[in-house]
Amino acid sequence: MKNTLRKILIRLGVYKLIALILKKNRDFPIWENLEIDIQSSCNRDCEFCPRFSDRTGVRKDKQGNQIITKMPTEKVYNLIAQASKLGFKGKIKLHRLSESLLDKRYVEFAKYIKSKGLRLLENSNGDVLKKNEVLCTQLDGLIEHLTIGLYDYKNEDEKQAEIAYWRSKFHKTQLIFSLPPENCTIRQGSKVYTEVIKNPKALDLPCTQPNRMMLIRYDGNVSLCCEDDGCHFDLGNAFEQTLQELWWSHKHIKIAKTLAKPGGRHKFARCSRCYNGQERINLLKTRREN
């Protein structure tokens, strides 16, 4: 009799857990974008990048030297597998504020992602690809969307020449071009953030990034959004907790819902200085005028 009762209670507990998970999925759906930072470094030091001023030991040490480390291979595979088991079928990238193609494991991770039916997108400054024709061929079609940053052009002719070059290298992968010199986002930690005029009205804008993006740094720590590379909100670590526990935690959902409302940024110190969402800056034009 005791064993029968125990089994019933266990079953009820399981059913309650399933019901709770389903309810959370309805009230707070799974992320649309998953970013796994497979390694920490970048071969450039761009003035518009949040890693520019970092001296915390996340991207650079106190002397300004790069932090160079990788997420353990088994952790990368595990995170991808977890996402797939949760029913995630959206977009996945293998970088945060880093150049993921510096990592020689990239192709094997990309193939695993595709085997799980996930959509691989990537951002790159293109420097690694320019030196590696074989890698271009391997990634063509394996990456669904590749955003290439064009940082060095000084006029329209140079920009169009770069675009033509990249279109000659990729025929299956859809190419998108990021143009910070004339379409620059103001991001905390960048040199640009301290130099340009910012629109205070942007601080009243709702922010939906925490509702849409699951961001995991190379050390497993979870960022709230693309402006939180320092993981200031203490949302947990993906090496110690499951993606399910992290995403549907009470703390994460409460913060995300607060920020989704106009004026929500003022509730949090980090967000109260975030101008992401205001009109972008044309650096080429600004510097010509100055």
Side-chain angles (χ1 to χ4, degrees):
M1 181 68 181
K2 287 183 179 179
N3 287 336
T4 302
L5 181 60
R6 183 169 175 271
K7 289 179 181 178
I8 292 172
L9 290 173
I10 290 172
R11 287 175 183 171
L12 284 173
V14 171
Y15 292 146
K16 285 181 180 179
L17 178 61
I18 293 172
L20 179 62
I21 293 171
L22 290 174
K23 182 177 186 300
K24 284 186 175 180
N25 272 283
R26 288 195 300 271
D27 294 346
F28 195 81
I30 197 168
W31 59 84
E32 298 171 12
N33 301 284
L34 173 63
E35 294 186 10
I36 301 173
D37 195 25
I38 60 174
Q39 63 91 40
S40 62
S41 63
C42 185
N43 59 300
R44 290 199 176 216
D45 196 23
C46 301
E47 62 182 343
F48 45 79
C49 180
R51 66 182 292 140
F52 185 87
S53 300
D54 182 58
R55 298 294 184 274
T56 65
V58 173
R59 300 295 171 179
K60 298 179 183 177
D61 63 21
K62 292 180 179 179
Q63 289 72 44
N65 301 310
Q66 278 206 76
I67 301 299
I68 301 177
T69 187
K70 294 179 180 180
M71 181 181 287
T73 299
E74 67 275 11
K75 299 295 186 185
V76 179
Y77 281 125
N78 178 264
L79 293 172
I80 296 167
Q82 280 190 62
S84 178
K85 286 181 181 179
L86 285 171
F88 175 62
K89 294 297 181 184
K91 305 169 185 176
I92 184 168
K93 296 181 180 180
L94 297 179
H95 79 281
R96 284 289 300 113
L97 296 179
S98 54
E99 175 54 56
S100 58
L101 297 182
L102 290 171
D103 195 319
K104 296 187 183 301
R105 303 172 298 170
Y106 189 93
V107 173
E108 64 179 270
F109 291 148
K111 289 178 179 178
Y112 184 68
I113 287 167
K114 194 160 187 177
S115 75
K116 292 294 184 181
L118 299 173
R119 301 174 58 201
L120 177 59
L121 287 73
E122 200 52 78
N123 293 55
S124 174
N125 58 40
D127 293 346
V128 174
L129 294 170
K130 281 184 178 179
K131 299 174 183 177
N132 195 332
E133 292 278 347
V134 173
L135 185 59
C136 289
T137 301
Q138 289 176 314
L139 295 179
D140 192 17
L142 192 57
I143 296 177
E144 182 178 327
H145 293 261
L146 175 60
T147 299
I148 298 178
L150 305 183
Y151 306 147
D152 303 323
Y153 67 89
K154 296 179 177 61
N155 54 54
E156 187 64 22
D157 288 343
E158 289 184 4
K159 179 175 76 174
Q160 293 304 324
E162 286 197 50
I163 290 174
Y165 170 82
W166 288 115
R167 293 203 185 283
S168 74
K169 300 297 179 183
F170 289 89
H171 307 285
K172 300 173 186 176
T173 292
Q174 181 180 345
L175 294 182
I176 303 167
F177 297 99
S178 172
L179 308 171
E182 57 185 299
N183 193 27
C184 183
T185 301
I186 301 173
R187 303 187 65 182
Q188 293 180 73
S190 69
K191 182 181 178 184
V192 169
Y193 183 90
T194 63
E195 294 179 343
V196 301
I197 297 173
K198 295 176 278 293
N199 186 348
K201 291 182 179 179
L203 300 179
D204 295 322
L205 294 173
C207 176
T208 60
Q209 278 200 33
N211 300 65
R212 299 179 289 104
M213 303 176 74
M214 181 66 169
L215 310 176
I216 305 168
R217 206 169 63 190
Y218 61 85
D219 56 4
N221 286 317
V222 175
S223 302
L224 180 70
C225 65
C226 68
E227 291 292 292
D228 182 37
D229 192 52
C231 301
H232 299 87
F233 291 85
D234 193 24
L235 294 173
N237 188 288
F239 298 168
E240 301 168 0
Q241 298 165 271
T242 66
L243 294 184
Q244 178 176 301
E245 290 169 335
L246 293 163
W247 183 254
W248 283 293
S249 72
H250 174 74
K251 183 175 185 178
H252 175 240
I253 292 174
K254 184 177 180 181
I255 294 171
K257 288 187 174 182
T258 299
L259 287 169
K261 299 174 182 178
R265 299 189 195 201
H266 297 287
K267 302 287 185 180
F268 308 99
R270 184 74 180 172
C271 306
S272 67
R273 302 187 295 271
C274 176
Y275 293 85
N276 199 329
Q278 83 159 67
E279 60 277 7
R280 297 191 176 190
I281 304 297
N282 187 320
L283 295 176
L284 291 176
K285 181 180 178 182
T286 300
R287 279 157 193 176
R288 280 197 299 269
E289 291 174 348
N290 293 337

PDB file of all heavy atoms in Angstrom, residues 83-97:
ATOM      1  N   ALA A  83      19.539  22.564 -26.160  1.00  0.00           N
ATOM      2  CA  ALA A  83      18.633  23.444 -26.899  1.00  0.00           C
ATOM      3  C   ALA A  83      17.737  22.638 -27.830  1.00  0.00           C
ATOM      4  O   ALA A  83      16.524  22.875 -27.922  1.00  0.00           O
ATOM      5  CB  ALA A  83      19.439  24.468 -27.694  1.00  0.00           C
ATOM      6  N   SER A  84      18.334  21.661 -28.504  1.00  0.00           N
ATOM      7  CA  SER A  84      17.572  20.818 -29.420  1.00  0.00           C
ATOM      8  C   SER A  84      16.504  20.015 -28.686  1.00  0.00           C
ATOM      9  O   SER A  84      15.355  19.917 -29.131  1.00  0.00           O
ATOM     10  CB  SER A  84      18.532  19.884 -30.166  1.00  0.00           C
ATOM     11  OG  SER A  84      17.820  19.025 -31.034  1.00  0.00           O
ATOM     12  N   LYS A  85      16.853  19.455 -27.522  1.00  0.00           N
ATOM     13  CA  LYS A  85      15.908  18.650 -26.743  1.00  0.00           C
ATOM     14  C   LYS A  85      14.735  19.486 -26.229  1.00  0.00           C
ATOM     15  O   LYS A  85      13.632  18.974 -26.032  1.00  0.00           O
ATOM     16  CB  LYS A  85      16.634  17.981 -25.577  1.00  0.00           C
ATOM     17  CG  LYS A  85      17.510  16.814 -25.995  1.00  0.00           C
ATOM     18  CD  LYS A  85      18.188  16.162 -24.802  1.00  0.00           C
ATOM     19  CE  LYS A  85      19.076  15.017 -25.229  1.00  0.00           C
ATOM     20  NZ  LYS A  85      19.782  14.374 -24.082  1.00  0.00           N
ATOM     21  N   LEU A  86      14.999  20.782 -26.006  1.00  0.00           N
ATOM     22  CA  LEU A  86      13.916  21.668 -25.546  1.00  0.00           C
ATOM     23  C   LEU A  86      12.985  22.078 -26.686  1.00  0.00           C
ATOM     24  O   LEU A  86      12.006  22.784 -26.469  1.00  0.00           O
ATOM     25  CB  LEU A  86      14.512  22.922 -24.903  1.00  0.00           C
ATOM     26  CG  LEU A  86      15.107  22.748 -23.505  1.00  0.00           C
ATOM     27  CD1 LEU A  86      15.853  24.006 -23.078  1.00  0.00           C
ATOM     28  CD2 LEU A  86      14.024  22.409 -22.489  1.00  0.00           C
ATOM     29  N   GLY A  87      13.299  21.631 -27.892  1.00  0.00           N
ATOM     30  CA  GLY A  87      12.451  21.942 -29.039  1.00  0.00           C
ATOM     31  C   GLY A  87      12.840  23.197 -29.777  1.00  0.00           C
ATOM     32  O   GLY A  87      12.132  23.653 -30.672  1.00  0.00           O
ATOM     33  N   PHE A  88      13.990  23.762 -29.425  1.00  0.00           N
ATOM     34  CA  PHE A  88      14.454  24.974 -30.090  1.00  0.00           C
ATOM     35  C   PHE A  88      14.812  24.669 -31.542  1.00  0.00           C
ATOM     36  O   PHE A  88      15.565  23.744 -31.825  1.00  0.00           O
ATOM     37  CB  PHE A  88      15.666  25.533 -29.353  1.00  0.00           C
ATOM     38  CG  PHE A  88      16.302  26.726 -30.024  1.00  0.00           C
ATOM     39  CD1 PHE A  88      15.589  27.910 -30.195  1.00  0.00           C
ATOM     40  CD2 PHE A  88      17.612  26.664 -30.486  1.00  0.00           C
ATOM     41  CE1 PHE A  88      16.166  28.998 -30.812  1.00  0.00           C
ATOM     42  CE2 PHE A  88      18.204  27.753 -31.088  1.00  0.00           C
ATOM     43  CZ  PHE A  88      17.481  28.927 -31.259  1.00  0.00           C
ATOM     44  N   LYS A  89      14.274  25.467 -32.467  1.00  0.00           N
ATOM     45  CA  LYS A  89      14.551  25.294 -33.894  1.00  0.00           C
ATOM     46  C   LYS A  89      14.969  26.619 -34.537  1.00  0.00           C
ATOM     47  O   LYS A  89      14.901  26.776 -35.747  1.00  0.00           O
ATOM     48  CB  LYS A  89      13.302  24.755 -34.613  1.00  0.00           C
ATOM     49  CG  LYS A  89      12.894  23.350 -34.187  1.00  0.00           C
ATOM     50  CD  LYS A  89      13.964  22.330 -34.526  1.00  0.00           C
ATOM     51  CE  LYS A  89      13.543  20.924 -34.123  1.00  0.00           C
ATOM     52  NZ  LYS A  89      14.625  19.934 -34.370  1.00  0.00           N
ATOM     53  N   GLY A  90      15.396  27.550 -33.706  1.00  0.00           N
ATOM     54  CA  GLY A  90      15.685  28.885 -34.211  1.00  0.00           C
ATOM     55  C   GLY A  90      17.126  29.090 -34.617  1.00  0.00           C
ATOM     56  O   GLY A  90      17.816  28.179 -35.081  1.00  0.00           O
ATOM     57  N   LYS A  91      17.606  30.321 -34.399  1.00  0.00           N
ATOM     58  CA  LYS A  91      18.921  30.741 -34.871  1.00  0.00           C
ATOM     59  C   LYS A  91      19.978  30.538 -33.788  1.00  0.00           C
ATOM     60  O   LYS A  91      19.747  30.832 -32.628  1.00  0.00           O
ATOM     61  CB  LYS A  91      18.865  32.225 -35.259  1.00  0.00           C
ATOM     62  CG  LYS A  91      17.780  32.568 -36.269  1.00  0.00           C
ATOM     63  CD  LYS A  91      17.612  34.076 -36.408  1.00  0.00           C
ATOM     64  CE  LYS A  91      16.446  34.425 -37.310  1.00  0.00           C
ATOM     65  NZ  LYS A  91      16.223  35.893 -37.367  1.00  0.00           N
ATOM     66  N   ILE A  92      21.139  30.062 -34.207  1.00  0.00           N
ATOM     67  CA  ILE A  92      22.246  29.873 -33.275  1.00  0.00           C
ATOM     68  C   ILE A  92      23.506  30.483 -33.869  1.00  0.00           C
ATOM     69  O   ILE A  92      23.757  30.396 -35.071  1.00  0.00           O
ATOM     70  CB  ILE A  92      22.433  28.374 -32.952  1.00  0.00           C
ATOM     71  CG1 ILE A  92      23.533  28.175 -31.907  1.00  0.00           C
ATOM     72  CG2 ILE A  92      22.694  27.555 -34.195  1.00  0.00           C
ATOM     73  CD1 ILE A  92      23.578  26.769 -31.343  1.00  0.00           C
ATOM     74  N   LYS A  93      24.282  31.148 -33.000  1.00  0.00           N
ATOM     75  CA  LYS A  93      25.574  31.716 -33.395  1.00  0.00           C
ATOM     76  C   LYS A  93      26.620  31.238 -32.398  1.00  0.00           C
ATOM     77  O   LYS A  93      26.294  30.910 -31.252  1.00  0.00           O
ATOM     78  CB  LYS A  93      25.520  33.246 -33.393  1.00  0.00           C
ATOM     79  CG  LYS A  93      24.562  33.838 -34.422  1.00  0.00           C
ATOM     80  CD  LYS A  93      24.578  35.365 -34.381  1.00  0.00           C
ATOM     81  CE  LYS A  93      23.632  35.959 -35.409  1.00  0.00           C
ATOM     82  NZ  LYS A  93      23.649  37.453 -35.380  1.00  0.00           N
ATOM     83  N   LEU A  94      27.873  31.241 -32.825  1.00  0.00           N
ATOM     84  CA  LEU A  94      28.950  30.728 -31.983  1.00  0.00           C
ATOM     85  C   LEU A  94      29.914  31.836 -31.564  1.00  0.00           C
ATOM     86  O   LEU A  94      31.122  31.646 -31.535  1.00  0.00           O
ATOM     87  CB  LEU A  94      29.693  29.605 -32.718  1.00  0.00           C
ATOM     88  CG  LEU A  94      28.835  28.375 -33.040  1.00  0.00           C
ATOM     89  CD1 LEU A  94      29.641  27.331 -33.797  1.00  0.00           C
ATOM     90  CD2 LEU A  94      28.243  27.762 -31.771  1.00  0.00           C
ATOM     91  N   HIS A  95      29.378  32.990 -31.273  1.00  0.00           N
ATOM     92  CA  HIS A  95      30.214  34.094 -30.814  1.00  0.00           C
ATOM     93  C   HIS A  95      29.415  34.996 -29.887  1.00  0.00           C
ATOM     94  O   HIS A  95      28.192  34.931 -29.848  1.00  0.00           O
ATOM     95  CB  HIS A  95      30.714  34.936 -31.992  1.00  0.00           C
ATOM     96  CG  HIS A  95      29.675  35.880 -32.508  1.00  0.00           C
ATOM     97  ND1 HIS A  95      28.649  35.477 -33.339  1.00  0.00           N
ATOM     98  CD2 HIS A  95      29.477  37.202 -32.283  1.00  0.00           C
ATOM     99  CE1 HIS A  95      27.876  36.520 -33.613  1.00  0.00           C
ATOM    100  NE2 HIS A  95      28.334  37.573 -32.980  1.00  0.00           N
ATOM    101  N   ARG A  96      30.132  35.824 -29.142  1.00  0.00           N
ATOM    102  CA  ARG A  96      29.526  36.953 -28.453  1.00  0.00           C
ATOM    103  C   ARG A  96      30.297  38.186 -28.921  1.00  0.00           C
ATOM    104  O   ARG A  96      30.083  38.650 -30.020  1.00  0.00           O
ATOM    105  CB  ARG A  96      29.616  36.755 -26.926  1.00  0.00           C
ATOM    106  CG  ARG A  96      28.621  35.739 -26.375  1.00  0.00           C
ATOM    107  CD  ARG A  96      27.179  36.222 -26.403  1.00  0.00           C
ATOM    108  NE  ARG A  96      27.019  37.423 -25.623  1.00  0.00           N
ATOM    109  CZ  ARG A  96      26.712  38.629 -26.142  1.00  0.00           C
ATOM    110  NH1 ARG A  96      26.542  38.786 -27.430  1.00  0.00           N
ATOM    111  NH2 ARG A  96      26.564  39.670 -25.364  1.00  0.00           N
ATOM    112  N   LEU A  97      31.222  38.690 -28.129  1.00  0.00           N
ATOM    113  CA  LEU A  97      32.081  39.791 -28.582  1.00  0.00           C
ATOM    114  C   LEU A  97      33.430  39.200 -28.979  1.00  0.00           C
ATOM    115  O   LEU A  97      34.476  39.586 -28.478  1.00  0.00           O
ATOM    116  CB  LEU A  97      32.253  40.830 -27.473  1.00  0.00           C
ATOM    117  CG  LEU A  97      30.995  41.553 -27.039  1.00  0.00           C
ATOM    118  CD1 LEU A  97      31.318  42.540 -25.913  1.00  0.00           C
ATOM    119  CD2 LEU A  97      30.332  42.278 -28.188  1.00  0.00           C
TER     120      LEU A  97
END
